[in-house]
């Protein structure tokens, strides 16, 4: 099958490579010349385990290529929309301008029956709107269908999530469109991936609802952590006990600095904005609070740092972590960098180390000093904060670091350090969600 993938960010690049691995002929389209150059050489423009290998094998096989020219995609049977839908600059809703621009550029070029499939995360109702735009702009009688097929991949596990999905969601209007999507994903369906057939609106909602539920779970566990801190209870023990209940489960129960990245924060806000547009005002307040609790974790961390060192005196503060989560070099809406920037604004001399995201931190936060190693960052620091959950940080030797830090004060914002080990090495140890129990 001939397939086009419009937009080659995390979602589009991974999707294009996986479709080519599934035996299709795929053409990826993007406007960013640098990104296209890397992709043409089989290289991912971001850190994503396994993706380089998949891209390279697709490009080498001749089944995968990349272009900036929409005229080259007209022969495709299926067009996947994978462009970004960030938060609007002046509100909470999703900015669909790139999605609209792509559809409006594609529509007049379509001269044979085909299916346009949305994969981008969008407010419910977008597919219906795009159908109207396509009908208006595509040449009369072309026969262009619209379906929604959301993607649930996680950064850092994108290839695995795509090749071994928990579920495939086909939001379609007809048996024909359903059949076409089954052919697109034939290898995954054959290997037993569960398929949910539904209408396009439910498919759109499936994606934002999943992210809203994940965000709510993290904020709920952070609320529990705050109560643990105030009552000298232990949040790790608490989440272990909660997670043993199969109805609750143990995934996504890590408290700390909260969620960030290019998805959960903006999708939660866009969900609330869309719910309000639809007249669901009071109940959507629940999700607005989820966002507030999440932001509060960042403020709480900055306040804790301010209570431990006099930030106005310009102390050196080492921030370990820059990526929004471990396993990724993505710094979009990174909680770690939000805290680092706030500490700098309050007067600290902030140095950041991240195992993968150093270049992105330099690019997006030129005001922050970036160190190549954790040791370089901690040397001479009066306060150390661990703000991304990299396993490398759990493996750090507190005795070793204690020799080079100016003061032995550490905040574990992600509950990755072994508090007993750090205290034994004479560190004043603080962790979000853990009271002072064991500190004596
Ligand atoms: C998220 C969803 O998990 C994917 O299913 C979805 O496809 C994707 O968004 C998307 O919309 O494209 P991702 O942004 O890669 O994936 O990151 P997550 O693994 O969900 O983590 C999000 C944030 O939550 C990170 O900052 C992480 O540190 C934080 N987190 C995660 C916690 O604070 N506690 C946890 O227990 C789990």
């Amino acid at each position: 099958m001939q397939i086009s993938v419009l937009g080659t960010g995390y979602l589009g690049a991974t999707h294009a490579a996986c479709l080519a691995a599934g035996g299709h002929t795929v053409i990826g389209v993007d406007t960013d010349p640098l990104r296209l150059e890397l992709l043409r050489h089989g290289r991912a423009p971001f850190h994503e385990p396994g993706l380089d290998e998949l891209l390279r094998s697709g490009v080498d096989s001749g089944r995968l290529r990349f272009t900036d020219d929409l005229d080259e995609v007209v022969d495709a049977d299926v067009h996947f929309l994978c462009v970004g839908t960030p938060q609007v600059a002046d509100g909470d809703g999703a900015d669909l301008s790139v999605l609209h621009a792509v559809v409006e550029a594609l529509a007049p070029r379509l001269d044979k029956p085909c299916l346009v499939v949305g994969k981008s995360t969008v407010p419910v109702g977008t597919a219906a709107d795009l159908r109207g735009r396509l009908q208006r702009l595509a040449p009369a009688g072309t026969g262009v269908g619209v379906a929604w097929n959301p993607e649930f991949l996680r950064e850092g596990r994108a290839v695995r999530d795509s090749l071994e999905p928990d579920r495939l969601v086909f939001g379609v209007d007809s048996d024909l469109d359903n059949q076409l999507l089954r052919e697109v994903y034939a290898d995954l369906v054959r290997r037993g991936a569960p398929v949910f057939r539904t209408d396009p609106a439910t498919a759109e909602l499936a994606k934002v609802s999943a992210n809203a539920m994940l965000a709510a779970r993290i904020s709920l566990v952070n609320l529990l952590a705050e109560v643990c801190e105030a009552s000298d209870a232990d949040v790790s023990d608490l989440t272990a006990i909660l997670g043993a209940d199969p109805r609750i489960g143990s995934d996504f129960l890590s408290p700390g600095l909260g969620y960030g990245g290019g998805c959960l924060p903006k999708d939660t806000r866009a969900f609330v904005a869309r719910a309000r547009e639809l007249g669901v005002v009071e109940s959507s307040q629940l999700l607005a609070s989820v966002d507030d609790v999440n932001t509060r974790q960042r403020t709480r961390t900055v306040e804790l740092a301010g209570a431990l060192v006099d930030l106005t005196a310009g102390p050196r503060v080492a921030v370990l972590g820059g990526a929004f989560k471990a396993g990724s070099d993505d710094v979009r809406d990174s909680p770690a960098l939000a805290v680092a920037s706030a500490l700098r604004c309050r007067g600290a001399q902030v140095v950041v180390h991240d195992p993968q995201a150093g270049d992105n931190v330099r690019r997006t936060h030129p005001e922050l000093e970036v160190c190549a190693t954790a040791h370089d960052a901690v040397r001479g620091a009066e306060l150390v904060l661990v703000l991304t959950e990299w396993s490398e940080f759990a493996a750090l030797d507190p005795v070793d670091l204690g020799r080079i830090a100016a003061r032995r004060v550490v905040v574990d914002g992600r509950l990755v350090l072994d508090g007993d080990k750090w205290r034994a090495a004479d560190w004043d140890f603080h962790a979000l969600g853990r009271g002072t129990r064991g500190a004596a």
Side-chain angles (χ1 to χ4, degrees), residues 25-349:
T25 304
V26 184
I27 180 159
V29 185
D30 208 293
T31 50
D32 182 338
L34 251 150
R35 180 177 290 179
L36 286 173
E37 191 52 24
L38 286 168
L39 290 167
R40 284 180 185 128
H41 287 94
R43 286 176 54 202
F46 40 80
H47 172 75
E48 192 57 59
L51 185 54
D52 280 350
E53 292 78 356
L54 210 62
L55 283 166
R56 227 175 0 253
S57 93
V59 170
D60 290 349
S61 71
R63 283 197 304 275
L64 177 60
R65 63 193 185 87
F66 294 93
T67 181
D68 61 357
D69 185 358
L70 266 184
D71 285 337
E72 292 184 36
V73 309
V74 289
D75 287 336
D77 309 292
V78 178
H79 301 276
F80 278 102
L81 305 173
C82 294
V83 296
T85 51
Q87 186 173 338
V88 289
D90 56 353
D92 285 344
D95 179 353
L96 302 182
S97 55
V98 178
L99 190 70
H100 292 160
V102 164
V103 166
E104 278 160 24
L106 177 69
R109 292 174 158 89
L110 300 175
D111 59 3
K112 63 171 223 179
C114 60
L115 186 62
V116 173
V117 185
K119 251 189 141 39
S120 307
T121 305
V122 293
V124 61
T126 303
D129 170 67
L130 293 187
R131 191 176 302 110
R133 286 171 195 256
L134 281 161
Q135 274 163 7
R136 225 173 31 252
L137 296 167
T142 308
V144 181
V146 175
W148 220 263
N149 164 228
E151 181 60 61
F152 301 96
L153 62 81
R154 288 160 288 185
E155 289 179 23
R157 301 170 58 126
V159 172
R160 201 175 354 148
D161 283 349
S162 301
L163 295 178
E164 297 161 30
D166 299 329
R167 72 284 209 198
L168 293 168
V169 177
F170 299 164
V172 289
D173 287 322
S174 70
D175 290 342
L176 203 68
D177 294 350
N178 185 48
Q179 190 48 39
L180 206 54
L181 282 176
R182 288 189 83 87
E183 283 167 35
V184 169
Y185 291 105
D187 58 333
L188 304 186
V189 174
R190 216 173 15 247
R191 280 191 274 129
V195 176
F196 293 85
R197 177 184 171 167
T198 182
D199 55 84
T202 308
E204 291 168 329
L205 262 181
K207 174 59 191 274
V208 280
S209 307
N211 279 359
M213 291 202 75
L214 293 171
R217 193 170 160 96
I218 295 171
S219 280
L220 180 56
V221 85
N222 281 331
L223 157 67
L224 300 178
E226 208 173 327
V227 173
C228 281
E229 233 174 272
S231 57
D232 225 7
D234 187 292
V235 72
S236 297
D237 288 351
L238 178 64
T239 52
I241 295 163
L242 291 173
D245 183 333
R247 292 170 304 172
I248 297 174
S250 56
D251 282 350
F252 256 71
L253 271 191
S254 301
L257 193 46
Y259 58 82
C263 305
L264 260 52
K266 62 112 177 152
D267 290 348
T268 308
R269 290 177 200 137
F271 190 106
V272 175
R274 184 65 181 133
R276 286 183 177 154
E277 273 173 18
L278 293 167
V280 185
V281 177
E282 275 82 16
S283 306
S284 63
Q285 199 49 41
L286 172 66
L287 266 188
S289 298
V290 164
D291 189 26
D292 291 344
V293 170
N294 191 54
T295 307
R296 185 169 155 64
Q297 304 318 305
R298 304 174 186 196
T299 322
R300 262 166 33 85
T301 308
V302 174
E303 280 165 5
L304 175 59
L308 295 171
V309 289
D310 179 5
L311 295 170
T312 56
R316 179 179 170 95
V317 172
V319 167
L320 301 184
F324 84 103
K325 69 171 183 180
S328 170
D329 64 354
D330 191 349
V331 298
R332 284 176 297 168
D333 203 343
S334 162
L337 293 184
V339 170
S341 294
L343 294 174
R344 186 177 175 280
C345 285
R346 293 201 180 187
Q349 184 213 331

Side-chain angles (χ1 to χ4, degrees), residues 316 320 353 373-380 396-397 400-401 404:
R316 179 179 170 95
L320 301 184
H353 165 69
T373 67
H375 279 74
D376 289 347
V378 171
R379 189 168 292 112
L396 288 169
D397 179 0
D400 203 16
L401 291 180
I404 55 174

